[in-house]
Structures are given as C-alpha cells and as structure tokens.
Amino acid sequence: MTLTVFSDAVSWEQNLRRVREPKALASFAYAQASALLYGNGTWAEAAVLEEEGHIVLHPYLRRPIPQSPHRSDLVSAFEFGGFWCSAEDPVLRAELLHRFALRFGDWASAEGIVTEFIRLNPFLPDDGIEKGGYQLRWHQDHVVLQLDGPIDTLRQRYNRARGKQVRQGQRNGLTLERVDDPTMLCRLLHANLTRLSAKPFYFFPIEFLRALMPVSVVFHVLGPDGSVIGAHMYIVDGDVLFAFLCHADAESWGLRPNDFAYDAVIGWAVEHGFRTLHLGGGAEELFRYKQSFGPDTIPYRQARRVFLPTVYRDLADGDDSRFFPTYRRS
C-alpha cells in the first residue's frame, strides 16, 4: 500500500484515467482553475493510495494559513471534491476509502497540515472515510433532474407557474446559443453580485471562467433583438451536467430569460445524452425555484477533519463558532 502526493499535470492525468467515475470534477484543469479563486500561494494537489491494483484519488487545494505561514490547510476545489476510486465493488471501495483516510491523515499531520474541509460531490460514494477520521455533516438537499425522457415528458414535472413562465419566454422570442467565450457571463455575474452586495470571493475573475472552459459549456440567452440578456455555465462531468453559474440581466427579467434558459438547456442535455442535471441548493427561495423544474433531491454533505488538534486550538484562540476552520472566519 503506497500513498503518493503530486501537483503536476502528467501524474494527475495518468491516475485520473484509472478511476471509474466521471472525472471532470477531479481533473487537473478543474483544480487549477479553482486555485485561482484563493490566490495567496494556494496550489492544486492530489493524493493517490494504490493497493493491489486499485487506487483512490483525492484532489484538493492546499492553502498557507496566514496566522501560521509554515503550516497549511486543505479545501476542495470549488465547488465539489471527494474521493474517486477504481474499485467497482462497494465493499472493497469502502475498505479502500477507509485505508486511504487513515494513511492520508498520517501524511497530513507529518506535513504540518492543520485541517481539511470538503464539499462532497453528491454523486460519489464516501463510505469508509468517516471511520477513517473525517466528520460528515449533512448540509442540505440538492435538486436534481433525471433526464429520463423526452423534453415534453420532463416539462410535465414543472410546477404550473414555472411551465407558464417558460412558455412566456418562448413567446417573447428568446433563443439559446452555445458560445466559447465566458466574457458576457462574467459581466452579468458581476452586475448581479454588485446589486446583491455579495462577498468579494464570489466575483469570479474572467481568468477563472476561461480556465473552466475545457470542462464546461456556456450558453447565451438572446433577446428578441438578438442582444445577450442571460448567460449560463454548466460543468460537464460524464453524463451529469452541473449548473454552475446562471445569470440574467436584471432589466430583462420580465422576458423570463432564466426560466427559458433552464428549459432550453434541459432539452439540449437530453439531445446530447446526459442522464442527470444537477441544479443544486441555496437559500429557501432559490431552492424552491430550482425545485419548480422537478421535485427530486439528493443529499449534499460536507466533510471536516482536524489533523493537528493542538495547533487548531491555538489558532482558534478560544473562538468556538460553528464556522470551520474557525481561524479562517472573517
């Protein structure tokens, strides 16, 4: 049983080809793009446990801790992370994940890594990691659409109000086009975040969005005059499509650009062989909006781990807030 840690693209992609699950969210490109969001010396890294021909691949971002520059902590690439495995048998898989967690914990402690926080990919099994030292917490449910029929059948799952608003968008002459440039998406994102007084972190730079293009698709919503009034980005991960950034011009909301876009993308996804559209969660109003396209949900959990408890307590300095890791609470 060997544990290897690396940050180069060649080693990363060689190991990525060995795992079973869809690989975009575990790719070097996705992790490298996510590292741009954190800056300040953050880099993409991955650990691989190999045992008897099977592997567990765990990608993450490694960040220096400002209060203790010689130490670091780990976070999953934005938005999801987890553990990718080559084993198909669920019992063997759980055993491998358990042994990975134990071995990785020893390595992280020796490396001076204090904590890890993972936003777990809801489509990946994680049996075994809790017994290996991770604490799992349910965060909320996420809305998912099973693309198991033609678009006319899937529309029957929309609630009455959403179906009406989709038809309004269609009557308003909106159209959807796939594009290769996220510039307009970035502009709409920043305009909406400014309007909402959002935290600076979420003002994603154009460099980040461009770096995601190898693992994503971007669509423009065009108004009746051909102008761009909305833009959506989706991460492509095997037969799952993840809604990542979906924004529209606030002055054009009356034309129903987002309602139209979600419906049009669902039709596009069905035509291109996707099996699932992950719409995600959010605050109550946003969650209900997403669920108006279909009632199905999937649990979304997070994983936490403290590798160096004494160091963590010192860095927390008596702060017992629920935020994790406490020393990063601003």
Side-chain angles (χ1 to χ4, degrees):
M1 181 171 63
T2 59
L3 183 77
T4 306
V5 178
F6 47 82
S7 57
D8 65 289
V10 173
S11 299
W12 200 302
E13 295 305 319
Q14 285 176 345
N15 284 283
L16 191 61
R17 286 193 289 269
R18 299 178 60 187
V19 302
R20 294 186 58 254
E21 301 87 357
K23 305 171 177 64
L25 296 181
S27 68
F28 180 78
Y30 183 76
Q32 280 286 88
S34 297
L36 295 173
L37 297 178
Y38 294 91
N40 299 321
T42 296
W43 71 92
E45 194 171 80
V48 166
L49 179 77
E50 180 156 7
E51 181 178 343
E52 297 182 355
H54 284 292
I55 69 166
V56 175
L57 170 67
H58 178 44
Y60 51 83
L61 305 181
R62 188 165 174 179
R63 308 177 294 177
I65 299 175
Q67 304 94 316
S68 183
H70 61 292
R71 300 189 186 277
S72 57
D73 60 15
L74 311 180
V75 65
S76 52
F78 193 88
E79 183 169 27
F80 295 120
F83 306 85
W84 281 257
C85 188
S86 62
E88 183 174 1
D89 177 70
V91 175
L92 174 58
R93 180 193 185 92
E95 292 174 353
L96 288 169
L97 291 183
H98 176 214
R99 289 197 283 273
F100 173 89
L102 293 173
R103 186 69 174 269
F104 187 67
D106 292 340
W107 173 85
S109 299
E111 279 284 302
I113 296 171
V114 181
T115 64
E116 182 173 19
F117 176 75
I118 311 171
R119 295 175 289 268
L120 290 167
N121 184 332
F123 297 104
L124 281 183
D126 50 43
D127 295 340
I129 66 169
E130 193 166 25
K131 191 165 59 172
Y134 286 92
Q135 294 181 334
L136 302 185
R137 298 190 179 191
W138 174 86
H139 185 66
Q140 62 176 166
D141 288 339
H142 279 184
V143 178
V144 294
L145 306 183
Q146 301 304 326
L147 308 179
D148 53 2
I151 183 62
D152 288 342
T153 299
L154 299 181
R155 284 174 178 152
Q156 295 175 15
R157 299 173 187 170
Y158 301 176
N159 70 24
R160 176 178 293 184
R162 192 62 52 224
K164 179 179 178 180
Q165 289 160 349
V166 166
R167 292 189 293 272
Q168 287 175 349
Q170 294 168 340
R171 288 195 299 269
N172 288 332
L174 305 187
T175 56
L176 189 81
E177 68 172 4
R178 183 175 171 182
V179 299
D180 297 321
D181 184 355
T183 300
M184 283 301 301
L185 171 65
C186 191
R187 292 176 185 172
L188 290 168
L189 167 68
H190 288 195
N192 283 334
L193 293 180
T194 298
R195 179 176 52 82
L196 296 170
S197 301
K199 294 180 180 179
F201 174 83
Y202 296 103
F203 284 75
F204 299 151
I206 186 63
E207 294 80 10
F208 168 63
L209 301 183
R210 286 176 178 153
L212 284 178
M213 291 302 293
V215 295
S216 66
V217 290
V218 175
F219 301 93
H220 282 172
V221 183
L222 305 182
D225 62 353
S227 62
V228 179
I229 61 172
H232 285 203
M233 172 179 269
Y234 296 79
I235 303 297
V236 176
D237 198 30
D239 60 6
V240 179
L241 202 61
F242 286 84
F244 187 68
L245 294 172
C246 302
H247 288 271
D249 176 20
E251 294 183 0
S252 300
W253 283 353
L255 296 174
R256 316 310 307 187
N258 279 328
D259 304 308
F260 170 83
Y262 282 121
D263 174 77
V265 170
I266 290 169
W268 177 90
V270 170
E271 291 176 1
H272 286 79
F274 290 93
R275 301 294 301 275
T276 305
L277 173 58
H278 175 273
L279 293 180
E284 182 69 17
E285 183 177 358
L286 178 59
F287 180 84
R288 294 304 171 197
Y289 174 81
K290 293 175 177 179
Q291 204 169 34
S292 69
F293 289 93
D296 293 344
T297 61
I298 189 172
Y300 161 56
R301 300 196 295 178
Q302 299 170 344
R304 303 177 175 188
R305 190 166 186 182
V306 177
F307 299 109
L308 298 173
T310 302
V311 175
Y312 182 68
R313 285 193 295 271
D314 291 343
L315 289 171
D317 195 25
D319 186 343
D320 59 355
S321 68
R322 297 177 62 185
F323 188 88
F324 184 86
T326 302
Y327 54 80
R328 285 196 180 271
R329 186 166 70 99
S330 57

